[in-house]
Amino acid sequence: MQNRTMIQLPDKVSYIINTIMEAGYEAYAVGGCIRDSILGRTPDDWDITTSASPHQVKALFPRTIDTGIQHGTVTVMLDREGFEVTTYRIDGAYEDGRHPKEVTFTPELKEDLKRRDFTINAMAYNEKAGLVDIFEGVADLQKKVIRCVGDPRERFTEDALRMMRAVRFSAQLGYGIEDQTAKAIGELASNLALISAERIQTELIKLVTSPHPEALRTAYETGITKVILPEFDRCMETEQNNPHHCYCVGEHILRSMEEIRPDKTLRLAMLFHDIGKPRTLTEDEKGIYHFHGHPAVSEEMTRTILRRLKFDNETLDYVTKLVRYHDYDVIPKPANVRRAVLKTGELIFPLLLEVKEADLKAQSMYMRREKEEKLTAVGRVYQEILSQKQCVSLKTLAVTGTDLIKEAGMQPGREIGSMLQKLLDLVVEDPSLNERAILLKKAREIQ
Ligand code: ATP
Ligand code: MG
């Protein structure tokens, strides 16, 4: 059965494997690429594992890069494409659940497959031997489960990040986590505190941009978010008692992530848009809960969390802006929409409309029609503004700072910036004013 599974290796992968084999060593495509091929998905990259030492691999190919030679990895370059070729290895004891203290090379493929995290990631293939599936990865693909290779407690103790990887793969593939594997996560999740923010960030992005971002609930239930995102645990514990809502804050967040397309910025914006609600909760005399000022609190918390997880500044900028404005009331009239675009930013505004729609869809049915109609109307007005190329930023204002200096007799300096802003405000109120002569005249008048 095993050997009959056929995988179509790309020509270059097949060439590398055959070159190594002709030199008398073993070589296989391994890991994620085999899993994805069996699932009929196109792999992102093809990793190769071999019995040849890094030195021996280097001798076989004219162009190689020492990517991680101490861990046995050499990148073989063919044309402009790189392929990682890694020598069979056994990972030694892990230091503080983080990185292997030392790696030992081994002549046995089986040993190399044994060090891998999950059965579905521990299969190898080449054209001669066919599929090597010692840990029943195919069966687990059929059962749709994520299961550790070997004893889950040992594997998670060696590298705590694997617990997040388990949830991430379950979210990407829509699989369950096998009982013993899930139980071990519940017991060992606190070890994630030892893992670097960068590695956690990578897994969190893959989780939230997957087809099942709501798998974050599993991360909550197993105690993972308690360590990496305790702010989310507070949300799962906060009811909303308000006619606009039918879920607790955390469930509303999960639903809102499902309602938006799988883009990193958008999914993170939904994850954080209400993160400040638990801190702003008040109860009125009728027992209804309110969360006044929560967008500002959510924005501050989002900044703190994204910094803690070492996100880049661009992501931080976009996500915090979307969080800040997610509840901003836009009236569906041209001047109001133009003002909203100016205030939030030209790049942010279309994303904000998506955020608002997802937020809405994750609320109760109370006033749903009215809310939807209003948002649709805002979208229509915005499209009209775009199609008429109306000015909503300095980029398309009919005068520049230089114009003001040369034509309106202004002195270079800070006044230029504030004058441009004033002119932009005028144009946003009335697009017909966006003409050079008119604006220069206005500038002279205002001065
Ligand atoms: P992706 O589609 O996200 O790239 P992948 O399975 O290819 O998924 P990688 O992080 O690229 O994941 O790793 C490649 C392979 O290396 C995995 O399939 C797995 O066999 C092994 N691996 C990666 N990280 C670990 C880990 N932390 N512990 C054990 N094995 C790992
Ligand atoms: Mg990969």
Side-chain angles (χ1 to χ4, degrees):
M1 153 81 194
Q2 288 189 359
N3 285 342
R4 269 187 282 143
T5 306
M6 282 278 288
I7 289 174
Q8 191 60 49
L9 300 177
D11 290 348
K12 286 174 183 159
V13 173
S14 171
Y15 167 77
I16 294 172
I17 289 174
N18 291 336
T19 306
I20 299 174
M21 284 171 55
E22 277 157 24
Y25 312 105
E26 295 174 12
Y28 295 84
V30 70
C33 59
I34 301 308
R35 175 198 69 221
D36 290 343
S37 299
I38 295 173
L39 289 172
R41 300 169 180 225
T42 312
D44 294 332
D45 42 32
W46 291 81
D47 294 324
I48 294 162
T49 187
T50 179
S51 61
S53 72
H55 190 73
Q56 289 162 336
V57 173
K58 285 173 71 165
L60 292 172
F61 301 93
R63 286 201 306 131
T64 60
I65 299 166
D66 292 1
T67 320
I69 202 136
Q70 68 284 23
H71 294 108
T73 304
V74 169
T75 299
V76 172
M77 298 300 300
L78 295 180
D79 302 325
R80 295 236 173 91
E81 239 182 309
F83 296 86
E84 288 196 354
V85 179
T86 304
T87 303
Y88 294 165
R89 65 176 212 223
I90 304 168
D91 293 345
Y94 276 63
E95 255 174 328
D96 349 319
R98 267 183 287 195
H99 13 242
K101 218 190 278 181
E102 53 188 12
V103 305
T104 318
F105 298 137
T106 165
E108 299 289 336
L109 172 65
K110 182 174 180 183
E111 293 300 318
D112 183 86
L113 296 177
K114 224 162 103 181
R115 73 167 169 95
R116 295 173 184 273
D117 47 8
F118 306 111
T119 58
I120 60 170
N121 287 346
M123 295 179 277
Y125 180 89
N126 68 24
E127 284 148 1
K128 188 159 158 248
L131 185 70
V132 181
D133 178 19
I134 301 168
F135 303 103
E136 300 182 6
V138 171
D140 284 341
L141 285 176
Q142 278 159 356
K143 285 188 225 156
K144 298 183 186 285
V145 290
I146 310 297
R147 180 201 309 271
C148 279
V149 173
D151 175 28
R153 298 191 85 258
E154 270 173 38
R155 307 316 309 280
F156 293 146
T157 308
E158 286 167 358
D159 180 5
L161 188 74
R162 289 171 187 157
M163 294 184 274
M164 268 197 88
R165 285 174 59 87
V167 179
R168 180 264 274 197
F169 284 117
S170 103
Q172 286 179 323
L173 300 168
Y175 286 13
I177 300 176
E178 177 272 329
D179 286 352
Q180 291 309 309
T181 302
K183 185 159 168 274
I185 299 177
E187 288 167 21
L188 295 165
S190 64
N191 289 4
L192 274 163
L194 304 164
I195 300 295
S196 74
E198 288 82 355
R199 291 181 81 202
I200 286 177
Q201 187 211 107
T202 307
E203 293 302 323
L204 184 65
I205 293 173
K206 288 186 176 177
L207 169 55
V208 300
T209 56
S210 73
H212 295 284
E214 77 283 5
L216 192 66
R217 189 187 294 112
T218 313
Y220 166 71
E221 287 163 353
T222 50
I224 290 178
T225 53
K226 187 176 174 200
V227 186
I228 63 157
L229 203 58
E231 297 87 349
F232 180 73
D233 288 35
R234 299 294 84 70
C235 294
M236 291 299 281
E237 294 150 4
T238 305
E239 291 302 329
Q240 304 217 67
N241 285 346
N242 179 304
H244 290 280
H245 286 281
C246 52
Y247 305 111
C248 74
V249 178
E251 285 295 333
H252 164 71
I253 287 175
L254 296 173
R255 289 300 299 264
S256 73
M257 283 199 287
E258 291 180 83
E259 294 290 355
I260 209 156
R261 67 191 159 90
D263 166 84
K264 178 173 89 170
T265 304
L266 291 175
R267 287 277 169 90
L268 288 172
M270 295 332 293
L271 172 54
F272 294 122
H273 77 287
D274 278 351
I275 201 86
K277 273 192 168 174
R279 289 196 190 167
T280 58
L281 189 151
T282 54
E283 184 177 349
D284 67 19
E285 59 287 352
K286 293 190 193 115
I288 294 175
Y289 291 1
H290 300 278
F291 304 92
H292 297 299
H294 78 271
V297 176
S298 295
E299 181 195 353
E300 258 330 288
M301 290 175 70
T302 303
R303 186 166 289 117
T304 306
I305 295 166
L306 291 180
R307 290 217 173 105
R308 184 175 78 214
L309 292 173
K310 303 262 165 64
F311 274 85
D312 60 283
N313 287 333
E314 195 191 357
T315 305
L316 189 125
D317 189 46
Y318 271 77
V319 175
T320 50
K321 280 201 177 113
L322 290 169
V323 170
R324 178 194 320 170
Y325 293 121
H326 79 268
D327 239 4
Y328 182 67
D329 187 29
V330 189
I331 293 153
K333 290 185 187 154
N336 296 71
V337 175
R338 285 193 299 270
R339 252 177 274 150
V341 179
L342 176 64
K343 189 181 174 83
T344 59
E346 264 183 309
L347 297 175
I348 296 289
F349 192 78
L351 302 178
L352 186 62
L353 293 181
E354 294 188 68
V355 166
K356 282 179 159 296
E357 191 183 344
D359 189 5
L360 175 59
K361 286 180 170 161
Q363 295 174 4
S364 71
M365 291 313 285
Y366 175 67
M367 291 180 67
R368 172 70 66 93
R369 268 278 295 282
E370 290 89 331
K371 293 180 196 172
E372 269 173 353
E373 280 169 8
K374 185 172 173 187
L375 193 55
T376 310
V378 171
R380 265 201 301 269
V381 174
Y382 175 63
Q383 285 309 322
E384 187 63 22
I385 291 167
L386 288 184
S387 67
Q388 295 194 17
K389 298 201 166 61
Q390 289 178 351
C391 167
V392 281
S393 75
L394 287 178
K395 266 193 307 195
T396 46
L397 192 68
V399 293
T400 64
T402 317
D403 293 334
L404 293 179
I405 296 164
K406 286 197 178 146
E407 311 285 331
M410 288 187 68
Q411 295 299 314
R414 248 191 294 147
E415 286 75 41
I416 299 287
S418 67
M419 177 61 79
L420 288 170
Q421 282 304 330
K422 281 182 201 153
L423 296 175
L424 181 57
D425 286 339
L426 291 176
V427 164
V428 165
E429 292 305 321
D430 179 359
S432 73
L433 299 179
N434 197 25
E435 283 184 31
R436 211 172 119 88
I438 298 176
L439 292 179
L440 287 172
K441 183 155 169 277
K442 289 272 178 203
R444 286 192 211 100
E445 284 167 16
I446 303 172
Q447 259 186 88

